[in-house]
Amino acid sequence: MFRATWKSLLARKVRLILSGLAVVLGVMFVSGAFVLTDTLGRSFDAVFADAYEGVDVNVAAKPKIALSEVEGEQVAAPIPAAALEKVRSVSGVAEATGVVAADGARLIGSNGKVVTSFGPPQLGENWVGESDLVKLRQGREPRADDEIVINQALADAAKVKVGDRVGVLTLEPKKEFTLVGIFGYSGDRASIGGANEVAFTTPVAQRLMLGEPDVFNNISVKAAAGVGDETLRDDIARTLDAGYEVKTGEQMSADASAGLKEGLSFFNKILLGFAAVALLVGTFLILNTFSIIVAQRTRELALMRAIGASGRQIIGSVVLEAIAVGLIASVLGLAAGIGVGALLAYLFGKLAGGLSLAGLGVPPAAVIGAFGVGLVITVVAALLPALRASRIPPIAAMQDVATPDRPLTKVTVAGGIVTAIGAVLLFLGLGGHAGDNTLATILGGVLFAFIGVALLTPLISRPVVSLLGAIFAWSVPGKLGRLNSGRNPRRTAITAAALMVGIALVTGVTVILDSAKGSISALAQDTIKAELVISGVQGGPRPPSFDPAVLEKAAAIPGVQLVDGEYGDMAMVNGDRTWVAASSNVAALERIFGAKATAGDISRLGPDQMLFSSDTAKSRNVSVGSTVTVQLSRGEARTYTVSGIYESSQLTNPVVLPPQAARDFAIPQPIQGFVQLAPGARVDDVQPQVETLLADSPEVSVADRDAFIKQQTSQLDTPLRMIQILLALAIVIAVLGIINTLALSVLERTRELGLLRAIGLRRAQTMRMITVEAVVISIFGALLGVAVGTGLGAAVVRALKDEGITDLVLPWGQMGLFLGLAALIGVIAAVLPAIRAARINVLGAIAHD
């Protein structure tokens, strides 16, 4: 039986390769995700090992507000100079250096634009001298308050050289400095981990990066000879109070690397999610392939049964073929995944500013995942056809047709049950009834919904395909193609379901994001009563900001009625983390954003007063007159009195503090500004004057309200494009499925095609017939995908109504594009099978058995 199975496998190499490609692509994503995260993880380990190479013990003050790497840059608490002297007095300390190193020093390049960073920090530091790790490559150290040195990577990106006057943005507005030196790192490295670094004199670094004099945010300690790092750490910790974190350099390296790996794991889950989609689509392809193979081998399998093969042996034969396909596909997918992982790691390193990558490694998880997923998916997809094969009676060996269409009752009932389960899971997940398992519940609901719809598809495939085929039924090849596409509802349904999954996901995501954009646009148009908005596009962990003086100067421009600057930060409000805002002009809450007071007075705000939105006040159980303790990123906790509560909306902040509080924000500068014009004033007259005021704030610009809204909503286009590109993989697999189905169908109908050719069907007509069949199946799958995707997207939009997505926007243009793309896919998929059908030898085909 093994030899017979092996010969059968070798006789059908092409069709098994086509079905195996689906598994290859899915396994490629799985193994590539593990290779990528392993490579980047070890790269980060090496980066932080270098960064803390000369540090035996590090002292830092516990932050006021703890943030994860995903949430943004941690604002370090200041360490007074007195604490540095205490550390120096500890026995076993050979050297203790006060260090200033904080994110937020943005250099303005030679082109007048800020050098941006997508991930690595833009550090502002105090120059503490050269070491084994850090060496000046050009120039000298900074000595005066208006002198800086920068690392080589930043100098290259900014295209600046020693002697240039350059602008730097920090906690304060733009300051001019003379570039007196450029430094690099051992091993001829231009940076550590792609970070951009600007080093000032210590007093300037303290003022610009920490906001106060005579403080540091780290103390770097070197141990005396013979003193262990752990021992020194414990001695220093006993000397300082509980407000400090004392760690060895090895601990600091591990903690910093672990924080970045936390963000990387999220990216890993995204890749694994797309791998799951690819494998789901691949499952349909493999199921179809083995179903057709079993149908074509009916007589062969029946003969085996007739000469003594048991049903178990028949199952083993089909499963053995599946194992062979799964093994080969897993090996190829693993190899492709290693290549993809290496490529993505390389691109990530480039985007991260030249991250030095560790050697490429293949972790055990990549190998286990590749073979586990590849084998499981293939064998599971082959089980149903294998069971069907085991039930073939020996008498079928003497019949020409052994696989008549079976009733669809069982499949329809199963599809209804599975679809219902999916609907229930989606209801629980989208309705917020799944608790901590919301994401898993939603994903499970989507999976069950897809499988359920796929099971129900055969019920509707014949009438829908017949209706679609009528478009092409004006010729004999069109009529034949229409009949062929509907002759086997199960096969047509499974083939179309593969395309359905990819298009449904793309359609669903498009519906959700377009609805979000439409809702935001409509809300902003109705709410914002400012004709001009000052803002920038966030390209990193820090939002762009500008000089507060711009607000006062803009208010003095003729024709300007009201100007408001908005500040924002994460804070602890009565012990709970909450986003808070400060407004330079509290009157804007009513006059620009249309907020309505529900209690108290929201038109003014004293230095010890604060405002709450109604939803936040209710959830925090506060009312007018309540006292609330607020801890910001800097400074000490303060107590405020609630003086007013306003009606919640999607464009108002949950908590508003007085403008004086902004100096203790992580970014003590406005991140948005709103300019309301007086009646009769023209935007074209005022906008150029505001632009002039922003000359020293290159991160932001001023735009009219419509342009601002378009700018903000356009940020949703980037994730949409990324999702569409990644989901294109599922569509590629679906194309393979159509090719495979048609190719196997041509083999199955060899005699039929020969008879058609014999009675006058020309080669070109044969090719048109196969093409019509492919196009009808493709459009059917696309219609299913658009319908299912629209339904899922609409359900999500409905569930997010309370989150501000109130308008359901259907992307009719893109839906039409998907249908057109489906027709093109059908034409492309039909090329090889159509050529094969046209080249069939007529006499040989008639004699084919």
Side-chain angles (χ1 to χ4, degrees):
M1 198 68 189
F2 175 80
R3 288 195 297 272
T5 301
W6 187 249
K7 288 183 179 179
S8 174
L9 185 66
L10 294 178
R12 299 172 176 85
K13 295 186 288 290
V14 174
R15 67 190 180 195
L16 292 176
I17 287 173
L18 283 173
S19 61
L21 276 175
V23 182
V24 168
L25 293 172
V27 168
M28 177 185 74
F29 257 111
V30 173
S31 54
F34 287 118
V35 169
L36 171 66
T37 51
D38 177 76
T39 302
L40 292 182
R42 288 184 292 106
S43 301
F44 288 135
D45 288 341
V47 165
F48 290 111
D50 285 343
Y52 293 99
E53 181 181 356
V55 179
D56 293 328
V57 175
N58 185 84
V59 179
K62 292 180 180 179
K64 309 286 186 181
I65 309 292
L67 298 176
S68 69
E69 290 290 337
V70 178
E71 293 175 314
E73 187 69 21
Q74 181 71 67
V75 177
I79 302 174
L84 175 60
E85 295 306 318
K86 278 188 178 181
V87 172
R88 285 173 174 166
S89 66
V90 174
S91 176
V93 172
E95 182 181 347
T97 305
V99 176
V100 175
D103 192 11
R106 293 95 70 207
L107 186 80
I108 300 173
S110 60
N111 59 359
K113 297 181 179 180
V114 172
V115 179
T116 56
S117 173
F118 298 94
Q122 297 177 291
L123 295 175
E125 309 166 332
N126 63 326
W127 179 256
V128 295
E130 295 182 284
S131 64
D132 293 338
L133 180 64
V134 179
K135 295 290 183 183
L136 280 169
R137 293 182 179 174
Q138 300 176 41
R140 58 173 177 82
E141 73 280 359
R143 297 168 187 159
D145 288 351
D146 67 340
E147 295 179 344
I148 59 170
V149 297
I150 62 176
N151 67 354
Q152 186 71 59
L154 181 54
D156 294 340
K159 294 182 173 56
V160 294
K161 61 184 183 300
V162 172
D164 287 349
R165 289 289 288 180
V166 295
V168 181
L169 306 175
T170 58
L171 294 181
E172 296 187 8
K174 175 184 172 184
K175 304 289 183 185
E176 292 282 344
F177 296 88
T178 300
L179 179 60
V180 296
I182 297 173
F183 64 92
Y185 292 89
S186 60
D188 198 32
R189 290 171 294 175
S191 71
I192 291 288
N196 294 331
E197 296 173 84
V198 179
F200 311 88
T201 60
T202 295
V204 174
Q206 291 169 332
R207 175 169 54 86
L208 297 183
M209 302 310 304
L210 301 182
E212 52 185 304
D214 297 324
V215 295
F216 306 92
N217 56 354
N218 283 283
I219 299 175
S220 176
V221 181
K222 288 186 177 180
V227 178
D229 294 351
E230 290 80 6
T231 301
L232 184 58
R233 175 199 62 195
D234 296 341
D235 290 344
I236 293 174
R238 281 191 292 269
T239 303
L240 299 173
D241 60 44
Y244 293 91
E245 294 178 337
V246 185
K247 299 180 179 180
T248 64
E250 187 176 339
Q251 285 178 306
M252 292 293 296
S253 175
D255 289 350
S257 183
L260 282 174
K261 288 178 183 177
E262 178 187 342
L264 193 61
S265 67
F266 176 74
F267 183 63
N268 189 43
K269 290 174 183 175
I270 292 176
L271 290 179
L272 291 175
F274 285 108
V277 173
L279 291 168
L280 175 63
V281 176
T283 301
F284 289 119
L285 171 54
I286 298 166
L287 176 63
N288 218 16
T289 300
F290 277 94
S291 296
I292 297 173
I293 289 173
V294 168
Q296 291 178 352
R297 294 176 60 195
T298 297
R299 177 170 289 188
E300 173 191 330
L301 295 173
L303 283 172
M304 288 184 179
R305 291 294 309 278
I307 61 176
S310 66
R312 182 175 297 179
Q313 287 178 308
I314 297 297
I315 293 175
S317 173
V318 177
V319 170
L320 186 60
E321 286 192 31
I323 291 173
V325 173
L327 280 174
I328 295 170
S330 296
V331 170
L332 295 176
L334 177 60
I338 293 171
V340 168
L343 176 62
L344 290 175
Y346 171 78
L347 294 175
F348 188 95
K350 289 295 183 184
L351 288 174
L355 173 67
S356 298
L357 295 176
L360 185 68
V362 182
V367 179
I368 295 170
F371 285 96
V373 168
L375 282 173
V376 168
I377 291 295
T378 312
V379 172
V380 168
L383 275 179
L384 190 61
L387 291 171
R388 194 179 305 146
S390 69
R391 295 170 185 160
I392 294 174
I395 194 67
M398 294 176 281
Q399 297 178 346
D400 287 333
V401 180
T403 56
D405 283 347
R406 299 181 306 283
L408 299 174
T409 306
K410 292 182 180 179
V411 174
T412 302
V413 171
I417 293 172
V418 173
T419 303
I421 293 173
V424 170
L425 290 175
L426 285 171
F427 172 77
L428 294 175
L430 296 175
H433 306 297
D436 295 335
N437 300 313
T438 298
L439 180 59
T441 304
I442 292 174
L443 292 177
V446 171
L447 177 62
F448 275 92
F450 279 140
I451 296 174
V453 171
L455 291 172
L456 291 172
T457 302
L459 185 67
I460 62 171
S461 65
R462 183 167 284 167
V464 175
V465 165
S466 179
L467 184 62
L468 291 173
I471 301 172
F472 307 96
W474 48 269
S475 64
V476 171
K479 291 178 181 177
L480 291 172
R482 173 191 180 188
L483 293 172
N484 287 335
S485 58
R487 70 197 297 180
N488 193 326
R490 294 172 185 268
R491 182 182 304 173
T492 299
I494 295 174
T495 305
L499 185 58
M500 172 200 73
V501 173
I503 291 183
L505 289 172
V506 173
T507 303
V509 171
T510 305
V511 168
I512 295 167
L513 293 182
D514 279 5
S515 297
K517 289 169 62 176
S519 300
I520 293 170
S521 297
L523 181 62
Q525 288 284 1
D526 292 340
T527 303
I528 298 177
K529 306 303 180 185
E531 287 78 9
L532 294 173
V533 182
I534 302 169
S535 68
V537 178
Q538 187 167 344
R542 293 175 58 90
S545 60
F546 58 95
D547 188 348
V550 169
L551 301 171
E552 296 180 10
K553 295 176 181 177
I557 295 175
V560 172
Q561 180 172 270
L562 179 67
V563 175
D564 173 50
E566 292 287 317
Y567 304 75
D569 195 13
M570 189 67 75
M572 299 296 289
V573 178
N574 274 352
D576 294 323
R577 281 158 47 94
T578 305
W579 177 261
V580 300
S583 175
S584 67
N585 192 336
V586 179
L589 196 60
E590 293 177 292
R591 295 169 59 184
I592 290 181
F593 298 106
K596 296 180 180 178
T598 60
D601 184 4
I602 66 170
S603 63
R604 60 180 63 86
L605 202 57
D608 295 318
Q609 295 177 326
M610 65 188 303
L611 306 176
F612 270 83
S613 69
S614 55
D615 289 347
T616 308
K618 183 178 180 181
S619 65
R620 300 298 170 86
N621 195 28
V622 299
S623 58
V624 172
S626 299
T627 55
V628 177
T629 302
V630 178
Q631 174 63 68
L632 297 170
S633 294
R634 308 178 198 277
E636 299 303 320
R638 289 195 58 178
T639 299
Y640 294 89
T641 300
V642 178
S643 62
I645 296 174
Y646 51 90
E647 187 176 346
S648 298
S649 83
Q650 298 302 318
L651 291 184
T652 54
N653 290 291
V655 176
V656 176
L657 297 175
Q660 295 88 340
R663 58 174 171 261
D664 287 334
F665 281 19
I667 302 174
Q669 296 178 26
I671 55 180
Q672 283 185 338
F674 297 88
V675 181
Q676 188 180 71
L677 303 186
R682 298 176 64 248
V683 169
D684 291 342
D685 294 334
V686 177
Q687 185 171 351
Q689 299 181 66
V690 178
E691 286 176 349
T692 302
L693 298 177
L694 296 171
D696 288 338
S697 301
E699 293 179 300
V700 299
S701 59
V702 61
D704 61 53
R705 181 176 56 190
D706 291 340
F708 165 72
I709 294 171
K710 184 177 180 180
Q711 178 194 69
Q712 298 302 306
T713 56
S714 66
Q715 296 181 45
L716 294 174
D717 292 337
T718 300
L720 177 60
R721 298 289 176 266
M722 292 177 61
I723 291 170
Q724 289 175 335
I725 291 170
L726 290 170
L727 286 177
L729 173 67
I731 296 175
V732 169
I733 297 175
V735 174
L736 292 176
I738 297 172
I739 294 172
N740 209 22
T741 299
L742 291 175
L744 294 173
S745 180
V746 167
L747 287 174
E748 190 178 54
R749 292 161 22 209
T750 299
R751 188 176 186 186
E752 175 189 316
L753 291 170
L755 288 171
L756 288 171
R757 290 291 313 283
I759 62 174
L761 194 69
R762 297 187 300 275
R763 286 187 174 182
Q765 290 178 310
T766 303
M767 294 179 70
R768 287 207 302 274
M769 177 184 70
I770 300 297
T771 302
V772 167
E773 187 176 347
V775 169
V776 169
I777 293 173
S778 296
I779 294 178
F780 176 47
L783 279 173
L784 278 176
V786 167
V788 173
T790 301
L792 290 174
V796 173
V797 170
R798 177 67 183 85
L800 296 176
K801 185 176 181 180
D802 292 339
E803 303 299 324
I805 303 181
T806 55
D807 297 344
L808 176 62
V809 178
L810 299 182
W812 296 108
Q814 293 204 41
M815 291 180 186
L817 179 63
F818 294 153
L819 295 177
L821 178 64
L824 179 61
I825 286 172
V827 172
I828 295 171
V831 171
L832 293 177
I835 292 174
R836 183 178 186 126
R839 290 179 177 176
I840 285 178
N841 181 284
V842 177
L843 294 178
I846 294 173
H848 181 79
D849 190 4

